[in-house]
Amino acid sequence: MKRFLSVFFILSALAMSLSGQSVPPSTGELAYRLSSPVYLGGGLHQTRINTPQGVYVNPAAAAGFQRVILDVNYTNLQAAGGDAAGVGNAVNLAMSFPTKVGVVTGGFGFLETSAYEGTPMDLGVSGRANLAFSKEIYSDVWFGAALDGQIGELDGNMHGGGAMNFGFIHFPDTFGDLKNFRWGGSISGLGYRFGSTARKYFNAIPGNLTPAIGIAFDIADSEKFQWTFRGDVRAPSITDLWVGLGNDLYFGDVARVSVSSSLALRDAFDGSWETIIPSAALGLHFPIGGGSEEKENNLTTTEMDIQVAAAPLYAGVWGFSGGVTLPFGVRDSNPPRVSVPFDPPAYISPNYDGVQDELIIPYSITDERYISSYLWRVEDEDGNTVRSYVNKDERPENESVKNLWSRLVSPKEGTPLPEAVRWDGVSDSGSVTEDGSYNVYLEFSDDNDNTSVTGPFPVIVDTLAPELNLEEPEGLNLIFSPDGDGFKDVFRIEQSGSLESLWEAEFQDASGNRSRGWARADIMPEALEWNGTDDDGEVVPDGVYRYVISSTDLAGNFTDGTVEGIIIDTKQPEVGLTIDKA
């Protein structure tokens, strides 16, 4: 750490010596703050994501935009004492365009400070253009890259410059006890920016080779009030150290108040403490029309955001800024629409016999945007969750450079969805659930946190086969003679069993062909008698027969029983009588 600080101070001193006595303190960073009242009054923070101008500070800031958004603002600079006198102006315009691949943002700006020549507020007269690409590469990581260029007059000469910028924002949601924690960083000025020739490389407007990092978290968070703290550290041109702190107070969806303060190391050395004086911004949100599906795809705005800000700058100059942000179209507030062809109740028998071992529920789903998550749960009769399925998360071991590149260049898609819900009867503990009644619920959420819950879909777990008690006759009891002589004309089957939706029984000949059969629904098997006739009422031929009874319940469990060797014999025996004596 001591070595780092030593190198840092040496670089700072070297930069100051190379730039001469007329170098302003850290005013080059004002190019960022003057891009929007959000930054002028609310502070220069990496984690701000509510304006297209944010890509100028962190190229990842627009990755979450779902609609075309226009931002226009104007800043008036007024000398209120000190070394400066006169008026300066800054005008900015930016517009973000969401696509399936990512969000493209273009911005333009004009800055005029010629009245402050020879003071620390002398930033010249220049125009700039910025083109950024922002992308949500993981559910909690945004990435962005941008190219900006400037041209104008500075110190009496025409100058130009350009640079590449890269940034990211990570949303881990929680960090220790900090709520809604997020952090981001950027490296900007990879090039040769405006002012690098006139004021040397380390004093460009804004700075070259500037790393930055920032955090934000909520101190209070409720439906009507939210308090967000932000803190950032920047190293402009790697020769300065800038620290900024900010607080945003949100009053529902109607208003927000931002207060910030900052100080740079070079400012402290130069005796410039103005930026420690808190700056402030006020934002007001207005609905200006009702939404409709027709408006959603048109350039029609249904709301607007107005910002005003005031901030002390350098040399006695104050900045007063106002702007408006207009999103076009209607934000998706509809939950996913789910269609499930299901005929309740469903029956499964998870006994691994290959028959109805699992529940399969097909479904179809549509949404205006992307399905970001799903949760399928199985509850018992008491409402306790016995099994749950959630969408697969991206895990660190799956996040490689190759994976990152594919996500950067591929169109955005929602989480992969299986074709059907599948439950094998196993609980979250890994054991097969007990027989009984269960309910299945399907929950889907899109990337706007609109959620739909479908269900319940009742399912019966039944692993027990139908019960059957069948007495099998033996010996002479297997023989009968349906010849109408009143003796053994019927064959009686003694049987009993469980109540099932269907029992089937039949008598078959020696070749297995059906002779007589029955199919009874919602009964328990009872004793029956066969009179030897077939389904047409005709007496069957003499021979050997067998009786078969079976049942398959709704869960696919099967049971059967057989009586073999039933003999029908209607042939009258021949009797011969002889008399040996007359």
Side-chain angles (χ1 to χ4, degrees), residues 44-382:
L44 192 60
H45 297 292
Q46 296 286 308
T47 53
R48 290 200 181 279
I49 58 176
N50 55 348
T51 171
Q53 305 289 357
V55 298
Y56 192 33
V57 177
N58 185 337
F65 291 170
Q66 299 177 6
R67 295 176 289 174
V68 175
I69 300 180
L70 171 67
D71 184 287
V72 180
N73 64 77
Y74 167 74
T75 300
N76 179 259
L77 303 175
Q78 289 284 343
D83 298 332
V87 178
N89 302 278
V91 181
N92 300 279
L93 179 148
M95 201 165 189
S96 295
F97 300 89
T99 70
K100 290 186 177 182
V101 178
V103 180
V104 178
T105 302
F108 301 92
F110 173 76
L111 177 61
E112 189 268 319
T113 62
S114 56
Y116 307 131
E117 185 176 356
T119 73
M121 282 299 298
D122 182 12
L123 304 178
V125 179
S126 65
R128 68 170 177 86
N130 180 272
L131 181 64
F133 173 78
S134 311
K135 179 72 176 286
E136 177 186 308
I137 54 176
Y138 297 108
S139 60
D140 59 351
V141 177
W142 295 357
F143 175 81
L147 175 65
D148 64 56
Q150 296 154 284
I151 187 170
E153 182 180 353
L154 183 65
D155 299 337
N157 296 296
M158 290 297 295
H159 299 279
M164 287 289 297
N165 311 309
F166 299 94
F168 73 92
I169 301 177
H170 181 210
F171 301 86
D173 194 41
T174 57
F175 183 78
D177 295 330
L178 304 179
K179 296 183 297 183
N180 196 21
F181 181 84
R182 56 271 197 200
W183 69 290
S186 66
I187 177 73
S188 58
L190 299 177
Y192 196 80
R193 276 180 156 165
F194 180 70
S196 298
T197 300
R199 299 185 179 179
K200 308 303 180 185
Y201 190 75
F202 295 110
N203 294 287
I205 305 172
N208 292 305
L209 297 177
T210 300
I213 191 169
I215 66 168
F217 58 88
D218 292 344
I219 297 176
D221 186 9
S222 66
E223 183 177 352
K224 295 185 178 180
F225 177 74
Q226 179 181 341
W227 179 3
T228 301
F229 170 82
R230 302 181 193 273
D232 283 64
V233 177
R234 301 175 64 83
S237 297
I238 322 181
T239 58
D240 197 0
L241 185 64
W242 177 97
V243 178
L245 302 177
N247 289 275
D248 296 334
L249 306 179
Y250 297 87
F251 300 92
D253 294 329
V254 177
R256 67 180 181 276
V257 176
S258 301
V259 180
S260 68
S261 178
S262 63
L263 182 65
L265 185 64
R266 289 170 62 179
D267 288 352
F269 285 157
D270 194 72
S272 299
W273 304 87
E274 294 94 328
T275 55
I276 289 184
I277 301 173
S279 58
L282 171 65
L284 298 175
H285 183 81
F286 298 97
I288 57 176
S292 66
E293 292 184 1
E294 290 76 17
K295 291 182 178 180
E296 184 170 352
N297 296 320
N298 298 327
L299 290 180
T300 303
T301 183
T302 59
E303 57 191 280
M304 66 185 302
D305 197 88
I306 296 177
Q307 315 97 29
V308 293
L313 303 176
Y314 297 94
V317 175
W318 278 70
F320 301 93
S321 183
V324 60
T325 302
L326 295 171
F328 295 100
V330 178
R331 181 180 174 88
D332 173 26
S333 59
N334 299 317
R337 294 176 292 277
V338 184
S339 175
V340 181
F342 185 81
D343 185 17
Y347 289 80
I348 62 171
S349 175
N351 53 12
Y352 308 107
D353 63 354
V355 179
Q356 289 182 234
D357 285 332
E358 60 188 17
L359 171 71
I360 297 179
I361 303 178
Y363 64 89
S364 60
I365 184 168
T366 57
D367 189 74
E368 282 81 359
R369 288 185 53 80
Y370 314 100
I371 301 301
S372 61
S373 64
Y374 62 82
L375 169 62
W376 303 336
R377 65 184 189 277
V378 182
E379 295 183 356
D380 61 19
E381 291 180 294
D382 297 326

Side-chain angles (χ1 to χ4, degrees), residues 320-493:
F320 301 93
S321 183
V324 60
T325 302
L326 295 171
F328 295 100
V330 178
R331 181 180 174 88
D332 173 26
S333 59
N334 299 317
R337 294 176 292 277
V338 184
S339 175
V340 181
F342 185 81
D343 185 17
Y347 289 80
I348 62 171
S349 175
N351 53 12
Y352 308 107
D353 63 354
V355 179
Q356 289 182 234
D357 285 332
E358 60 188 17
L359 171 71
I360 297 179
I361 303 178
Y363 64 89
S364 60
I365 184 168
T366 57
D367 189 74
E368 282 81 359
R369 288 185 53 80
Y370 314 100
I371 301 301
S372 61
S373 64
Y374 62 82
L375 169 62
W376 303 336
R377 65 184 189 277
V378 182
E379 295 183 356
D380 61 19
E381 291 180 294
D382 297 326
N384 301 313
T385 299
V386 298
R387 181 65 164 163
S388 59
Y389 298 86
V390 297
N391 55 296
K392 179 181 177 182
D393 295 326
E394 286 292 340
R395 304 192 180 277
E397 59 266 24
N398 297 329
E399 297 174 6
S400 62
V401 174
K402 181 179 179 181
N403 179 273
L404 175 64
W405 174 251
S406 65
R407 284 181 170 269
L408 281 174
V409 299
S410 61
K412 181 178 179 180
E413 298 178 348
T415 187
L417 295 175
E419 294 182 356
V421 178
R422 175 185 173 275
W423 181 44
D424 57 4
V426 176
S427 67
D428 285 331
S429 64
S431 60
V432 177
T433 55
E434 297 180 355
D435 286 11
S437 299
Y438 297 85
N439 288 312
V440 179
Y441 296 87
L442 311 184
E443 180 177 319
F444 297 90
S445 299
D446 63 19
D447 56 343
N448 284 333
D449 294 327
N450 301 311
T451 300
S452 65
V453 179
T454 307
F457 301 107
V459 56
I460 308 298
V461 175
D462 179 9
T463 58
L464 299 177
E467 181 182 351
L468 175 64
N469 299 308
L470 181 64
E471 294 184 10
E472 298 185 21
E474 297 180 351
L476 295 177
N477 292 328
L478 289 170
I479 304 173
F480 79 114
S481 174
D483 54 6
D485 62 357
F487 180 73
K488 299 190 75 172
D489 285 334
V490 297
F491 184 80
R492 184 175 178 84
I493 300 288

Side-chain angles (χ1 to χ4, degrees), residues 347-349 351 353-357 462-468 498-505 518-523 525 548-561:
Y347 289 80
I348 62 171
S349 175
N351 53 12
D353 63 354
V355 179
Q356 289 182 234
D357 285 332
D462 179 9
T463 58
L464 299 177
E467 181 182 351
L468 175 64
S498 57
L499 176 65
E500 301 296 339
S501 59
L502 182 66
W503 283 96
E504 295 180 299
W518 298 267
R520 306 284 173 81
D522 300 321
I523 65 164
V548 178
I549 182 172
S550 66
S551 177
T552 301
D553 64 20
L554 296 176
N557 301 301
F558 176 79
T559 192
D560 67 344

